[in-house]
Amino acid sequence: MNKQQIVSALNKVREQKPLVVNITNFVVMNNTANALLAVGASPIMSHSKQEMTEMMSFAGALVINIGTLDSVWRPGMFFAVEQANENNKPVILDPVGCGATKLRTSTARQLAELADNLIIRGNASEIIAMAGEKSQNKGVDALDASEAALSAARSLVESYACSVVVSGKTDYIVTKERTIALSNGHEMMPYVTGMGCSLSAVTGAFAAVGETSGVAAAAIFAIAGEIAAENSQGPGSLQVNLLDSLYQLSADDIESRLKFREC
Amino acid sequence: MNKQQIVSALNKVREQKPLVVNITNFVVMNNTANALLAVGASPIMSHSKQEMTEMMSFAGALVINIGTLDSVWRPGMFFAVEQANENNKPVILDPVGCGATKLRTSTARQLAELADNLIIRGNASEIIAMAGEKSQNKGVDALDASEAALSAARSLVESYACSVVVSGKTDYIVTKERTIALSNGHEMMPYVTGMGCSLSAVTGAFAAVGETSGVAAAAIFAIAGEIAAENSQGPGSLQVNLLDSLYQLSADDIESRLKFREC
Amino acid sequence: MNKQQIVSALNKVREQKPLVVNITNFVVMNNTANALLAVGASPIMSHSKQEMTEMMSFAGALVINIGTLDSVWRPGMFFAVEQANENNKPVILDPVGCGATKLRTSTARQLAELADNLIIRGNASEIIAMAGEKSQNKGVDALDASEAALSAARSLVESYACSVVVSGKTDYIVTKERTIALSNGHEMMPYVTGMGCSLSAVTGAFAAVGETSGVAAAAIFAIAGEIAAENSQGPGSLQVNLLDSLYQLSADDIESRLKFREC
């Protein structure tokens, strides 16, 4: 994937305005919906089994985020993934807090197991926890954080035949074929809640128009965040400016700022 | 309703600070509460049957929004409408996603059937879907979108003895007596999630002080949005500026900008 | 507690980045998480019994906010307080809407009864309602609002062996040993939803690093709000600027602006 393909994927999202169904957490519903709108997509937040079969028949992608998981919403997540499979739609899984509790770790793994066309998007500790013993066995202590995360991501790619996006100072996008390192973004971004969740949602918009590697979404999101942060006095203005940047992002912004390399 | 009556209704909201009870969706709870505060009203978000009888005894209006509908919250919506009826309080119904799924379409109609003093606020496709066959029978294909929406709105006014506000590039407010076309607003507004939901909430504030046509709320919201958008770089700053505009809106803003006509 | 101790408590939060578990209302989940991040803490929003035992074993504090209370979430609040007690962690209770309905009043009192290490943070009417007959008996009619609130706060301190923070034009922080009056803040703050809820969350961050009186959190929040409001055109920009101010707040800001006195 080169710069021109990233620009072209963004143009596709803006033209096709894909519908992205989100079962997401209560904290980020508003800003992930706004991130999808700003990038040109159409968000629907829905979690009821009673309407998920209809929803997935006309949606372009499904985003599942376990950030405020409970036993009331959990069954709806599995049902939604089944409907996405039925309709051959991509599923983006954001395993928020994976590793922090058994409920989250096991739910994340079971959802990944179930999804036919999967992209996982998480931070290093979530990805490492989700991969579990497999990455541990390779000796986490001996590796730096990004090596451990990369190893875990590769293990997940193998286990679930998926793409994995690991967010961090450097983002890594790991597919069966290759690993991309992306060095855009800004150190203030982790001070805004739901930045990763917004990237997961936006990854759904790109997957819905056929960009299922996760690279284009990660690139445009990190570049928009970088531009936004340069004009921000703190995380409050960063959250606002990010939506403005996503909305205004130009081919020139992408071409002049993109820093990525194959590992 | 003339300019002076719109200004006077806004002054009433600011003086009386009516309490508006909202059973709304998870996506827009924060920004609709903020829109109500910015316009001078007092929001309460509540969905529990256990406290709805008390709530509706001292509230000025009830806003029901089905944007993240499920079977857990659905019974509470019907119970709340019954309590509003009991206390002779206006109900504002926002049929989010009506037409997209059977659950939403049927719930919207049943709630409308139940409410004694009703205002419906939706976009054209929701209003057309809610009116269903009746508007279809008049031949949607032969009409442009706004004619189809107007016809559907008139059908709803007849069916439910309510007012209907149809949001769009031009807003239409249809009552039993007349139809008002309102041409304020800005094309960037649909890029912020929950703009319509915020208007529905604000419509509740105006209904609580006796302005039950829906005209004044639609007018002040569209004008505030227009002012906000003129100073915005994108949907992030628009969301922020809208709250500032609602808070600052003056009689002069309304008088100099209002563009409405009877159809 | 003097200025230097407040600065030192803020530095501790920024260095230790305490994990604060929140069972809070749907309206303010996003902005309370952002307030915690901006002040340097790590928020987790969680309400499921299935993960609360694990959560409270590694969390620094628990914040319970009853703003959108229902019978589904209510048992999880009690279970979480039990887990906090088990782990000797402070509990911050925000009795949103206490007095408005029986459900809220009785739930607030029962939660307060259960918590071993408690700080209550509410506005005057919530604190007066929560104290109930005890403060009534002292003759509310004869007192001005802040005297009534102070009397109620003292009654709660006695009943529950807790600290009480009463937010208002002047904030009062009442502990067993003393009463502090804090005159920072800005009259525009009540026009943003969840300002009090954000202070409750931030109070959790300070309690997690050992500042369990509630004074330091109230002081830094009011000063940040004051700085933010001076640069705001309305409640939209105030919400944004508050996060920037919390993030940037310096020792000098605190030392030059703090207005507090012992009553």
Side-chain angles (χ1 to χ4, degrees):
Chain A
M1 174 157 272
N2 58 33
K3 289 180 185 184
Q4 191 42 53
Q5 289 170 313
I6 291 171
V7 171
S8 156
L10 176 58
N11 289 339
K12 265 195 190 168
V13 170
R14 287 176 175 168
E15 283 154 22
Q16 299 181 23
K17 300 187 174 303
L19 190 73
V20 180
V21 172
N22 300 265
I23 307 185
T24 190
N25 73 66
F26 299 120
V27 185
V28 304
M29 285 213 185
N30 187 267
N31 50 318
T32 58
N34 274 329
L36 283 167
L37 284 168
V39 83
S42 298
I44 288 195
M45 271 57 188
S46 170
H47 60 282
S48 171
K49 273 190 184 184
Q50 288 174 272
E51 58 182 16
M52 199 49 74
T53 303
E54 291 160 278
M55 286 279 177
M56 288 316 305
S57 71
F58 52 74
L62 172 68
V63 177
I64 305 264
N65 176 311
I66 63 168
T68 50
L69 188 62
D70 64 21
S71 56
V72 181
W73 281 40
R74 196 177 175 280
M77 295 178 177
F78 287 90
F79 185 75
V81 171
E82 284 166 8
Q83 301 306 309
N85 287 346
E86 198 77 33
N87 290 279
N88 204 27
K89 301 291 166 63
V91 175
I92 292 75
L93 173 64
D94 189 329
V96 179
C98 190
T101 68
K102 281 175 203 148
L103 176 69
R104 297 187 187 216
T105 309
S106 66
T107 301
R109 287 177 186 164
Q110 289 162 24
L111 287 166
E113 192 64 57
L114 187 62
D116 287 343
N117 307 294
L118 179 66
I119 306 175
I120 300 169
R121 205 292 319 159
N123 63 32
S125 81
E126 290 158 352
I127 295 300
I128 291 169
M130 195 169 161
E133 296 185 330
K134 283 169 198 166
S135 74
Q136 303 295 322
N137 289 344
K138 289 178 190 167
V140 174
D141 292 340
L143 304 167
D144 72 15
S146 43
E147 279 187 67
L150 259 181
S151 163
R154 285 183 183 128
S155 159
L156 294 175
V157 168
E158 209 173 298
S159 302
Y160 303 119
C162 62
S163 295
V164 176
V165 179
V166 190
S167 298
K169 204 182 159 184
T170 301
D171 295 334
Y172 294 97
I173 300 97
V174 184
T175 65
K176 206 179 170 188
E177 292 79 23
R178 62 184 60 80
T179 298
I180 303 284
L182 179 71
S183 311
N184 293 99
H186 193 279
E187 60 179 12
M188 207 198 283
M189 292 175 78
Y191 285 88
V192 180
T193 194
M195 276 284 164
C197 303
S198 291
L199 170 54
S200 297
V202 167
T203 302
F206 282 82
V209 300
E211 206 294 85
T212 54
S213 74
V215 173
I220 72 106
F221 196 85
I223 292 170
E226 189 176 296
I227 296 171
E230 288 169 9
N231 298 298
S232 297
Q233 278 71 52
S237 40
L238 174 51
Q239 183 168 30
V240 171
N241 293 339
L242 174 72
L243 296 174
D244 288 358
S245 292
L246 284 171
Y247 179 78
Q248 291 177 344
L249 202 70
S250 68
D252 192 54
D253 291 329
I254 295 167
E255 278 157 20
S256 65
R257 285 179 178 263
L258 185 68
K259 293 186 215 151
F260 79 152
R261 61 187 167 78
E262 204 152 327
C263 302
Chain B
M1 175 157 271
N2 58 33
K3 289 179 185 186
Q4 191 43 51
Q5 288 170 314
I6 292 171
V7 170
S8 155
L10 177 58
N11 289 340
K12 264 194 191 168
V13 170
R14 287 176 175 167
E15 284 154 22
Q16 298 182 23
K17 301 189 173 303
L19 190 73
V20 181
V21 172
N22 300 265
I23 307 185
T24 190
N25 72 66
F26 298 120
V27 185
V28 304
M29 286 213 185
N30 188 267
N31 48 318
T32 58
N34 274 328
L36 283 167
L37 284 169
V39 83
S42 298
I44 287 195
M45 272 57 189
S46 170
H47 60 282
S48 172
K49 274 190 185 186
Q50 288 174 272
E51 58 183 15
M52 199 49 74
T53 303
E54 290 160 278
M55 286 277 177
M56 286 316 304
S57 72
F58 51 75
L62 172 67
V63 177
I64 305 264
N65 177 309
I66 63 168
T68 51
L69 188 62
D70 64 20
S71 55
V72 181
W73 281 39
R74 196 177 175 280
M77 294 178 178
F78 287 90
F79 185 76
V81 172
E82 284 166 8
Q83 301 307 308
N85 287 346
E86 196 77 32
N87 290 280
N88 204 28
K89 301 291 166 65
V91 174
I92 291 78
L93 174 64
D94 190 329
V96 180
C98 191
T101 69
K102 281 174 204 149
L103 176 69
R104 296 189 188 213
T105 309
S106 66
T107 300
R109 288 177 186 164
Q110 288 161 25
L111 287 166
E113 192 64 58
L114 186 62
D116 287 342
N117 307 294
L118 179 66
I119 306 174
I120 300 170
R121 206 294 318 161
N123 63 32
S125 81
E126 291 158 351
I127 296 300
I128 290 169
M130 195 169 162
E133 295 184 333
K134 286 171 197 165
S135 74
Q136 303 295 321
N137 289 344
K138 290 178 190 168
V140 174
D141 292 341
L143 305 166
D144 73 14
S146 42
E147 280 187 66
L150 260 181
S151 163
R154 285 182 184 129
S155 159
L156 293 176
V157 168
E158 209 173 298
S159 302
Y160 303 119
C162 62
S163 295
V164 176
V165 180
V166 190
S167 298
K169 204 183 159 183
T170 301
D171 296 334
Y172 294 97
I173 299 96
V174 184
T175 66
K176 207 179 170 186
E177 293 79 23
R178 62 184 60 82
T179 298
I180 303 283
L182 180 71
S183 309
N184 292 98
H186 194 279
E187 61 180 11
M188 207 199 281
M189 291 175 78
Y191 285 89
V192 180
T193 195
M195 276 284 165
C197 304
S198 291
L199 170 53
S200 297
V202 167
T203 301
F206 281 82
V209 299
E211 206 295 83
T212 54
S213 73
V215 173
I220 72 107
F221 196 84
I223 292 170
E226 189 176 296
I227 296 171
E230 288 169 8
N231 298 298
S232 297
Q233 279 72 51
S237 40
L238 174 51
Q239 183 168 30
V240 171
N241 292 339
L242 174 72
L243 295 173
D244 288 358
S245 292
L246 284 171
Y247 179 77
Q248 292 177 344
L249 202 70
S250 67
D252 192 54
D253 291 329
I254 295 168
E255 279 158 19
S256 64
R257 285 179 178 262
L258 184 68
K259 293 185 214 151
F260 79 153
R261 60 186 168 79
E262 203 152 328
C263 302
Chain C
M1 175 158 272
N2 58 34
K3 289 181 185 185
Q4 191 42 52
Q5 288 170 315
I6 292 171
V7 171
S8 156
L10 176 58
N11 289 339
K12 264 195 190 168
V13 170
R14 287 176 174 167
E15 282 154 24
Q16 297 182 22
K17 300 187 173 303
L19 191 72
V20 180
V21 172
N22 300 264
I23 307 186
T24 190
N25 73 67
F26 299 120
V27 184
V28 304
M29 286 213 185
N30 188 266
N31 49 319
T32 58
N34 275 328
L36 283 166
L37 284 168
V39 83
S42 298
I44 287 195
M45 271 58 189
S46 169
H47 59 282
S48 172
K49 272 190 184 184
Q50 288 174 273
E51 58 183 16
M52 198 50 74
T53 304
E54 290 160 278
M55 285 280 177
M56 287 316 304
S57 72
F58 52 75
L62 172 68
V63 177
I64 304 263
N65 177 310
I66 63 168
T68 52
L69 187 63
D70 65 20
S71 56
V72 181
W73 281 39
R74 194 176 176 280
M77 294 178 178
F78 287 90
F79 185 76
V81 172
E82 284 165 9
Q83 301 307 308
N85 288 346
E86 197 77 32
N87 290 279
N88 203 27
K89 301 290 167 65
V91 174
I92 291 77
L93 173 64
D94 189 330
V96 180
C98 191
T101 69
K102 280 174 204 148
L103 176 68
R104 295 188 189 215
T105 309
S106 65
T107 302
R109 288 176 187 165
Q110 288 162 25
L111 287 165
E113 192 64 56
L114 187 62
D116 287 343
N117 307 293
L118 178 66
I119 306 175
I120 300 171
R121 204 293 318 159
N123 62 33
S125 81
E126 291 158 352
I127 295 302
I128 291 169
M130 195 168 163
E133 296 184 329
K134 285 170 197 164
S135 73
Q136 302 296 321
N137 289 344
K138 289 178 191 169
V140 174
D141 292 340
L143 305 166
D144 72 15
S146 43
E147 279 186 67
L150 260 181
S151 163
R154 285 183 184 128
S155 159
L156 293 175
V157 168
E158 209 173 299
S159 301
Y160 303 118
C162 61
S163 296
V164 176
V165 179
V166 191
S167 298
K169 204 181 158 182
T170 301
D171 295 335
Y172 294 97
I173 300 96
V174 184
T175 66
K176 205 178 169 189
E177 292 79 23
R178 62 185 59 81
T179 297
I180 303 285
L182 179 71
S183 310
N184 292 99
H186 193 281
E187 60 181 12
M188 208 198 281
M189 292 174 78
Y191 285 89
V192 179
T193 195
M195 276 284 165
C197 304
S198 291
L199 170 54
S200 297
V202 168
T203 302
F206 281 82
V209 300
E211 206 293 84
T212 54
S213 72
V215 173
I220 72 105
F221 197 84
I223 292 170
E226 188 176 296
I227 296 171
E230 287 169 9
N231 298 299
S232 297
Q233 279 71 51
S237 41
L238 174 51
Q239 183 168 31
V240 171
N241 293 340
L242 174 72
L243 296 174
D244 288 358
S245 292
L246 284 171
Y247 179 78
Q248 292 176 345
L249 201 70
S250 67
D252 192 54
D253 291 329
I254 295 167
E255 278 158 19
S256 64
R257 286 180 177 261
L258 185 68
K259 293 185 215 152
F260 79 153
R261 60 187 168 78
E262 204 151 327
C263 302

